Amino acid sequence: MKFASTRLIAADINTMVAFYELVTEQPAEWLAPQFAEIVTPSATLAIGSAETVALFREGTAEPGANRTAILEFRVDDVDAAFARLKN
């Protein structure tokens, strides 16, 4: 088995994708208007709009309500990353 991605469901996909592009310094690949992926050397972050939940099972995920995902980023300089992102 190979880990594929962490998927987040967004009420406002454009804002969420822009945020994670800023955090990761990687451009998103938009595979559909409701779905984008940010691929890094160590992981893939998948971001889907609320409409994509129906592809799995209605009620499987809800934007802003799921508090079970923890995303960890490794950086060379934590202070520099914090300074860049704090605003």
Side-chain angles (χ1 to χ4, degrees):
M1 179 183 294
K2 180 181 176 190
F3 177 75
S5 67
T6 297
R7 182 183 295 229
L8 302 176
I9 302 299
D12 181 350
I13 190 170
N14 292 313
T15 299
M16 186 177 280
V17 169
F19 172 75
Y20 282 107
E21 285 179 321
L22 176 67
V23 169
T24 63
E25 298 183 306
Q26 297 291 321
E29 180 179 352
W30 288 86
L31 304 173
Q34 304 84 13
F35 184 77
E37 289 184 336
I38 298 175
V39 179
T40 72
S42 59
T44 297
L45 177 59
I47 303 170
S49 68
E51 293 83 11
T52 64
V53 174
L55 298 172
F56 299 99
R57 184 175 148 234
E58 199 62 41
T60 301
E62 181 181 340
N66 186 347
R67 302 186 197 288
T68 60
I70 297 172
L71 303 177
E72 298 178 312
F73 298 93
R74 292 184 183 199
V75 297
D76 292 330
D77 184 337
V78 172
D79 294 327
F82 178 78
R84 183 175 67 83
L85 298 168
K86 71 181 177 182
N87 292 329

